């Protein structure tokens, strides 16, 4: 089940590991979700079902059943993160990764048809988490379906309410995950779509005012830069790195310690270019 991506709790500090051309462990992949880390651990769904719901409210019952599936698969992956981080033996960690990702995949695969059928009954955040989980278990095709559904629901909320401020974190995470999926080599790879997703996320985050929000904006630029370095355009990677460094310099006096963050940006800047790598910019 090894497959997707890198950084759960301190994503920025993990770019060096993520950009190495090797198979990613569950621990690495879960660490790729930045602010989703808290959501991953804390998101617990506990909604009851009863005979009345099953008989007279089948759609509500279906939705609550799906929430339990999301809870179960998410907590299995969180347990896998905890188990893998508890051992320093690479072989044991790898075995634990496979065990927990397989368990999560089986839970989701058994209910795949229901998840697809009733996805419109889920909230944008639930859809984003389903997409994230499918990404971790190496089903990017299904992950994209749920990420796009999450973004579409947020757009509908905006059209109805005029804004969707309460869904901002979900929107940024869904865009980030979609962008990453579009960059990774596969039959789904589509760099321009990935760049557009990053551009949209950055445009939303540009209004950031707090230091923590600016760190998230740095992380977006940094993530884009790393993916361009590995799979895309050299000049675009340079542009995104420079943007991340500029923001970091603007807030460095407010940071207790920015050495680790600055070092990760330096590590990315030192990655060598690929043979005949394009240098056309972020087109």
């Amino acid at each position: 089940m090894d497959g997707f991506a890198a950084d759960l709790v301190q994503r920025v500090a993990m770019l060096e590991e993520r950009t190495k051309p090797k198979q990613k462990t569950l621990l690495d992949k879960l660490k790729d979700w930045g602010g989703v880390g808290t959501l991953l651990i804390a998101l617990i769904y506990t909604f009851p079902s009863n005979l009345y719901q099953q008989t007279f409210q089948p759609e509500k019952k279906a939705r609550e059943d799906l929430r339990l599936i999301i809870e179960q698969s998410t907590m299995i992956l969180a347990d896998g993160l905890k188990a893998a981080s508890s051992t320093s033996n690479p072989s044991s960690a790898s075995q634990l990764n496979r065990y927990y990702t397989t368990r999560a995949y089986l839970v989701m695969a058994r209910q795949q048809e229901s998840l697809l059928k009733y996805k419109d009954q889920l909230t944008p955040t639930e859809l984003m988490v389903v997409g994230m989980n499918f990404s971790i278990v190496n089903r990017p095709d299904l992950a994209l379906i749920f990420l796009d559904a999450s973004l579409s629901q947020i757009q509908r909320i905006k059209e109805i309410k005029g804004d969707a401020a309460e869904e901002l974190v979900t929107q940024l995470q869904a865009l980030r995950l979609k962008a990453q999926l579009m960059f990774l080599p596969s039959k789904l790879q589509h760099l321009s779509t990935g760049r557009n997703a990053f551009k949209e996320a950055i445009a939303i985050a540009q209004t950031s005012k707090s230091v923590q929000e600016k760190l998230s904006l740095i992380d977006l630029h940094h993530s884009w830069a790393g993916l361009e370095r590995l799979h895309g355009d050299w000049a675009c990677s340079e542009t995104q790195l420079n943007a991340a460094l500029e923001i970091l310099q603007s807030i460095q006096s407010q940071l207790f310690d920015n050495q680790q963050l600055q070092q990760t940006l330096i590590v990315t800047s030192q990655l060598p270019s690929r043979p005949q790598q394009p240098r056309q910019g972020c087109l």
Side-chain angles (χ1 to χ4, degrees):
M1 295 289 173
D2 291 332
F4 191 68
D7 171 22
L8 174 73
V9 179
Q10 293 180 328
R11 176 184 161 75
V12 232
M14 298 300 296
L15 182 70
E16 181 178 6
E17 178 65 21
R18 186 178 70 243
T19 53
K20 292 179 182 178
K22 63 179 183 178
Q23 290 285 333
K24 298 297 182 182
T25 66
L26 171 62
L27 178 60
D28 294 326
K29 290 184 285 187
L30 285 175
K31 285 179 179 176
D32 196 33
W33 306 114
V36 181
T38 303
L39 177 66
L40 179 67
I41 303 299
L43 201 65
I44 300 179
Y45 305 86
T46 53
F47 284 77
S49 62
N50 54 44
L51 182 60
Y52 174 81
Q53 291 173 340
Q54 295 179 42
T55 306
F56 300 105
Q57 297 178 298
E59 288 190 355
K60 184 176 181 180
K61 171 60 168 57
R63 181 173 183 268
E64 292 175 355
D65 285 348
L66 294 185
R67 290 171 70 93
L68 293 174
I69 295 167
I70 298 169
E71 174 197 358
Q72 187 177 1
S73 59
T74 300
M75 296 314 295
I76 288 172
L77 292 171
D79 287 343
L81 170 62
K82 181 178 179 181
S85 63
S86 68
T87 178
S88 58
N89 185 308
S91 177
S92 297
S94 179
Q95 291 177 358
L96 287 167
N97 292 335
R98 288 194 296 270
Y99 170 70
Y100 282 101
T101 51
T102 298
R103 279 184 59 196
Y105 177 73
L106 290 176
V107 168
M108 299 173 74
R110 283 195 295 266
Q111 301 297 332
Q112 176 181 321
E113 184 176 342
S114 293
L115 284 166
L116 290 168
K117 181 177 180 180
Y118 294 106
K119 66 181 185 296
D120 291 341
Q121 301 296 317
L122 299 174
T123 67
T125 299
E126 290 165 346
L127 289 165
M128 184 273 291
V129 173
V130 175
M132 177 183 67
N133 290 355
F134 271 124
S135 296
I136 294 171
V137 300
N138 200 26
R139 285 300 305 270
D141 53 330
L142 293 173
L144 282 171
I145 291 173
F146 289 96
L147 293 175
D148 283 337
S150 176
L151 293 168
S152 294
Q153 279 204 20
I154 293 171
Q155 183 58 39
R156 286 195 291 272
I157 291 171
K158 285 183 178 180
E159 292 170 357
I160 294 170
K161 295 184 177 181
D163 66 62
E166 70 277 12
E167 303 292 351
L168 182 61
V169 172
T170 296
Q171 185 178 19
L172 288 175
Q173 295 296 347
L175 286 168
R176 179 208 294 278
L177 298 179
K178 180 176 181 178
Q180 292 171 331
L181 285 168
M182 292 292 91
F183 268 90
L184 296 179
S186 74
K187 63 180 181 180
L188 300 173
Q189 186 184 49
H190 199 275
L191 298 186
S192 62
T193 301
R195 287 173 185 141
N196 287 337
F198 270 127
K199 288 175 184 177
E200 186 176 350
I202 287 171
I204 294 170
Q206 287 287 11
T207 58
S208 300
K209 295 181 180 180
S210 72
V211 171
Q212 189 60 44
E213 289 172 331
K214 287 185 181 295
L215 288 173
S216 296
L217 183 57
I218 290 172
D219 189 29
L220 279 170
H221 284 292
H222 191 197
S223 299
W224 188 356
L227 288 165
E228 291 284 359
R229 216 73 162 190
L230 290 175
H231 310 297
D233 185 276
W234 179 268
C236 184
S237 178
E238 290 287 286
T239 297
Q240 301 310 318
L241 274 174
N242 289 336
L245 284 166
E246 183 178 347
I247 299 168
L248 177 59
Q249 289 170 0
S250 73
I251 62 171
Q252 59 185 357
S253 63
Q254 300 171 267
L255 299 177
F256 177 73
D257 181 9
N258 67 355
Q259 294 302 311
Q260 188 177 40
L261 176 55
Q262 191 161 9
Q263 183 59 35
T264 61
L265 296 175
I266 292 172
V267 167
T268 302
S269 70
Q270 293 174 343
L271 290 172
S273 62
R274 306 189 318 275
Q276 300 181 327
Q277 184 169 8
R279 296 171 180 262
Q280 299 177 350
C282 305
L283 302 178

